[in-house]
Amino acid sequence: MRTGKENTFAIETTALTKMYGDKAAVKHLDLKIRVGEIYGFIGRNGAGKSTTLKMLCGIASPTEGEILLFGRPVSDPAARRRLGVLIEAAGLYPNMTARQNVVMKAKCMGLADEKSVDEVLQITGLSDVGKKKVKHFSMGMKQRLGVALALLGNPDLLILDEPINGLDPEGIRELRNLVMALHEEGKTILVSSHILGELSKIATNYGIIKDGELIEQITKEELEEKCQDYFLIEVQDVRRALPMIQEAFPDVQPEVLDTRSIRIYGAEDGAKINQILIENQVPVYASGFHHMDLEEYFLDRMEGGR
């Protein structure tokens, strides 16, 4: 059993920065991922997600800052051996079978025991594909084979960059179940994805990156507290409706979304809000209660909201 400082954080960065010319792709990133987490890494295209992941894997060199894996520098071979990676394409050989691909990767890693090959194929559900060549695999099978390659050597930490991109619903479900099973075995998993509805089903923690800066790290429980129920109302004139709502319901927290929409937190009686506006000749086009999800929270944070 490993003890000491390394049991606290699987990944810890300090002021991690990557410059391309005079442009900062990643700016002073202080990332902290505890052992045992499924950490959902979220950001728009160009926000710095992939650049960050490449630095964590040692594929790209930081301009400045520090990266620790289990308390050791990312350049330390002992730390790197505990890391499995699936970033962008998995580098599969299309004219080879799944097993041949894994055997080749194992040999490159110096793993002579083929038992580890059988284990990763079984874990990823690829034990029974026989002599079928990779070029005939579905996208989901290719992604699972990429995870199988990342699992060689039994790493404690997996980094998966957009693993469900391009998958059909069945492929997404299979990969989700695989990630959950690996987590139950005690692996720490850092996963980025644009499909936030799926990410919310597996992640225990989140990091949100915007324009190269980490703007928030939040647990699943904290996110659920922040994703409150709200009453959404669409009216003809927000400028007239807002002061009426504030005067009649001083305890609610209204948030103007645009010229016609108001999101109201803390509202209990939506019908009463509608009634007051209509009585004061403010037409109401639509209204109803909603619950903010991860996607809505993320978009709100990207716009600088709550």
Side-chain angles (χ1 to χ4, degrees):
M1 178 182 293
R2 297 178 173 97
T3 59
K5 179 183 175 183
E6 64 175 11
N7 273 341
T8 303
F9 295 110
I11 297 174
E12 186 174 10
T13 73
T14 305
L16 187 63
T17 301
K18 180 63 175 179
M19 302 291 297
Y20 291 104
D22 59 356
K23 178 177 173 55
V26 175
K27 309 172 190 173
H28 304 288
L29 207 70
D30 293 331
L31 195 65
K32 288 180 170 55
I33 301 176
R34 294 183 182 276
V35 170
E37 293 180 350
I38 300 179
Y39 190 96
F41 198 35
I42 306 171
R44 287 177 172 159
N45 285 337
K49 295 194 309 299
S50 292
T51 300
T52 299
L53 298 184
K54 287 175 181 177
M55 287 191 287
L56 296 179
C57 301
I59 297 173
S61 299
T63 304
E64 60 181 81
E66 182 183 35
I67 303 170
L68 297 179
L69 302 180
F70 300 101
R72 294 172 176 263
V74 67
S75 57
D76 188 323
R80 296 286 286 275
R81 280 195 294 271
R82 300 179 67 180
L83 174 65
V85 177
L86 176 58
I87 290 184
E88 297 175 345
L92 306 177
Y93 291 92
N95 289 315
M96 298 172 73
T97 66
R99 182 177 181 80
Q100 287 170 335
N101 268 273
V102 179
V103 167
M104 178 170 284
K105 174 74 179 292
K107 287 180 178 178
C108 291
M109 295 175 63
L111 300 174
D113 183 9
E114 289 200 10
K115 181 181 177 183
S116 59
V117 173
D118 296 328
E119 286 176 349
V120 298
L121 288 171
Q122 183 175 0
I123 290 169
T124 53
L126 295 171
S127 295
D128 301 322
V129 295
K131 296 182 179 180
K132 185 175 183 179
K133 292 182 178 179
V134 167
K135 64 182 178 182
H136 300 304
F137 280 14
S138 67
M139 181 66 74
M141 291 173 69
K142 290 177 181 176
Q143 287 294 75
R144 283 187 283 134
L145 181 52
V147 175
L149 297 177
L151 287 172
L152 280 170
N154 192 26
D156 298 307
L157 169 64
L158 280 177
I159 295 180
L160 309 176
D161 187 19
E162 301 286 354
I164 60 177
N165 264 13
L167 300 189
D168 60 19
E170 178 65 18
I172 290 174
R173 184 185 65 82
E174 289 174 352
L175 203 63
R176 182 205 317 146
N177 290 341
L178 174 58
V179 168
M180 294 298 291
L182 293 170
H183 179 246
E184 288 172 7
E185 290 180 7
K187 297 193 185 300
T188 305
I189 303 170
L190 168 56
V191 55
S192 74
S193 179
H194 284 100
I195 306 176
L196 302 187
E198 277 302 316
L199 197 59
S200 67
K201 294 176 183 177
I202 60 172
T204 62
N205 300 73
Y206 300 93
I208 301 176
I209 187 171
K210 178 181 179 183
D211 299 329
E213 297 184 51
L214 193 67
I215 62 172
E216 185 169 22
Q217 291 192 105
I218 186 171
T219 68
K220 183 176 184 177
E221 291 74 23
E222 290 169 339
L223 177 66
E224 288 172 351
E225 286 183 13
K226 291 189 175 188
C227 288
Q228 306 168 35
D229 292 322
Y230 62 89
F231 186 70
L232 180 64
I233 189 165
E234 294 183 18
V235 296
Q236 185 184 65
D237 189 347
V238 162
R239 290 174 298 178
R240 288 188 59 210
L242 185 60
M244 292 178 191
I245 294 170
Q246 291 172 320
E247 182 178 352
F249 304 93
D251 294 331
V252 304
Q253 297 175 326
E255 179 184 2
V256 175
L257 302 181
D258 52 45
T259 57
R260 291 178 50 166
S261 304
I262 305 173
R263 189 186 287 169
I264 306 169
Y265 296 91
E268 296 180 357
D269 192 343
K272 187 69 173 176
I273 295 174
N274 288 339
Q275 179 185 344
I276 287 175
L277 294 176
I278 292 168
E279 286 177 351
N280 285 275
Q281 286 77 52
V282 177
V284 176
Y285 298 133
S287 65
F289 281 97
H290 298 265
H291 183 74
M292 180 181 281
D293 59 14
L294 173 60
E295 185 170 6
E296 216 172 340
Y297 182 82
F298 167 72
L299 292 173
D300 202 48
R301 292 295 278 122
M302 290 299 100
E303 299 300 327
R306 302 169 73 255

